[in-house]
Amino acid sequence: MTYQLHIGDYTYSSWSLRGWLLFDRFGLPVRTSFVDFNKGSVASQMAALPPARTVPTLETADGTVIWDSLAIAEELASRHPEAGHWPSDPAARAIARSLAAEMHSGFMALRSDCPMNLRTAYSDAAPSEAVLADLKRLEEIWAFARDATQPKGPWLCGEYSAADAFFAPVAARIAGYSLPVSDRACAYVEAHLADPSFRRWRALGLVLGGHLSRYDQPHPTMAWPAVATLPARAVKNGPSVNAACIFSGKPVTHFAEVNGIVIGLCNPTCRDKVVADAAAWPAVCDLLGIN
């Protein structure tokens, strides 16, 4: 089954991140189309897909258009029950669905005052009382979910679920604006920052698209709180340890040195996304024999 997912800017579009994670994090293949935030309104660029006016929007193989993130999650869960978008346990599943629904409709102060920005982080955002109230509610429902479901790992309701995908941009906001949360909530945020799917999305954001000044905030900036990765840099020439691009299988034309080893890629985007976060890409780790 072939899906086409229409997404916005990787750096700034929090809802696009949610939609993309519903595929990448659950092992479902998808083609993506980029809606350029610098080229007119999103609605005008989506005019060929009525009634969609926002991103993400999903086209299924049979031509069905799904234009809401929560609807995308539910439809994928229905079509691919083996993927595990929702917990198998009924109680955990009900909690996960409630969490995703509240995120879908709430936390307006956090979303308005702290727009997602995966290129820039702020050291002193001075959150408003409304944002602090949103953070308090987040901590309340996250703690409730973990206490009720007793997960063994870092996620809210057991294994990573659609609920966690919906809170990934929230984690990015908390980290990116240095917002005050408890150690328990901070551990959940850090799990998102370290998650390979989240890291792949952010790496793509560093390569594709550009700086959109309308998302800038009047706070002191700091380095993005990314996790450690493999040392990597673009190089002009090979030879590389591989003759075919690790992503496309095409002949190599561009090169990156990762952990002291030159690997070959088929275009500048493939090269640059590896340089942005080499350890986020399983194909790189497999080639280099790194677990």
Side-chain angles (χ1 to χ4, degrees), residues 142-172:
W142 288 354
F144 172 83
R146 291 187 58 81
D147 290 343
T149 63
Q150 293 292 305
K152 295 180 180 179
W155 308 115
L156 293 176
C157 298
E159 297 297 321
Y160 189 101
S161 74
D164 298 299
F166 270 64
F167 284 112
V170 174

Side-chain angles (χ1 to χ4, degrees), residues 27 60 63 71 87 106 119 133 160 187 190 193 208 234 247-248 251 253 286 289:
T60 68
R119 290 174 179 261
Y160 189 101
E190 290 173 352
L193 299 188
L208 303 172
F247 298 113
S248 69
T253 55
D286 290 345

Side-chain angles (χ1 to χ4, degrees), residues 18-280:
R18 292 179 176 99
W20 185 84
L21 285 172
L22 294 172
F23 286 90
D24 191 78
R25 195 54 172 76
F26 296 91
L28 299 179
V30 65
R31 295 197 303 258
T32 56
S33 297
F34 185 69
V35 176
D36 192 337
F37 284 2
N38 275 323
K39 293 184 178 179
S41 70
V42 173
S44 65
Q45 294 181 69
M46 300 294 289
L49 288 173
R53 296 174 58 84
T54 57
V55 287
T57 287
L58 179 65
E59 289 182 85
T60 68
D62 59 12
T64 301
V65 175
I66 308 170
W67 64 94
D68 177 88
S69 299
L70 192 54
I72 291 171
E74 292 291 5
E75 188 61 22
L76 290 177
S78 296
R79 295 184 182 220
H80 305 280
E82 76 289 348
H85 286 91
W86 299 117
S88 58
D89 176 77
R93 184 168 61 248
I95 292 171
R97 279 187 160 129
S98 297
L99 291 168
E102 183 166 351
M103 177 61 253
H104 187 263
S105 62
F107 306 102
M108 295 303 181
L110 178 63
R111 289 155 63 176
S112 175
D113 290 6
C114 304
M116 190 179 81
N117 186 336
L118 300 183
R119 290 174 179 261
T120 303
Y122 300 100
S123 60
D124 184 10
S128 67
E129 290 300 319
V131 170
L132 292 173
D134 278 352
L135 294 173
K136 181 178 179 181
R137 176 59 180 171
L138 284 167
E139 295 217 44
E140 179 184 2
I141 61 176
W142 288 354
F144 172 83
R146 291 187 58 81
D147 290 343
T149 63
Q150 293 292 305
K152 295 180 180 179
W155 308 115
L156 293 176
C157 298
E159 297 297 321
Y160 189 101
S161 74
D164 298 299
F166 270 64
F167 284 112
V170 174
R173 286 176 163 98
I174 291 173
Y177 288 83
S178 304
L179 297 176
V181 294
S182 67
D183 289 346
R184 191 179 191 188
C186 188
Y188 180 60
V189 169
E190 290 173 352
H192 279 288
L193 299 188
D195 184 68
S197 286
F198 177 88
R199 291 169 61 179
R200 286 192 286 274
W201 174 271
R202 181 171 181 267
L204 289 167
L206 297 176
V207 175
L208 303 172
H211 173 241
L212 300 180
S213 60
R214 63 181 178 270
Y215 289 95
D216 292 346
Q217 300 296 307
H219 312 305
T221 60
M222 66 178 191
W224 175 262
V227 298
T229 188
L230 297 171
R233 64 187 181 97
V235 294
K236 290 184 177 181
N237 300 304
S240 60
V241 296
N242 57 308
C245 177
I246 55 177
F247 298 113
S248 69
K250 297 178 181 178
V252 302
T253 55
H254 293 74
F255 303 91
E257 182 182 281
V258 180
N259 215 28
I261 299 173
V262 176
I263 65 174
L265 296 310
C266 68
N267 59 51
T269 299
C270 285
R271 177 199 61 202
D272 293 345
K273 72 183 185 182
V274 168
V275 171
D277 190 349

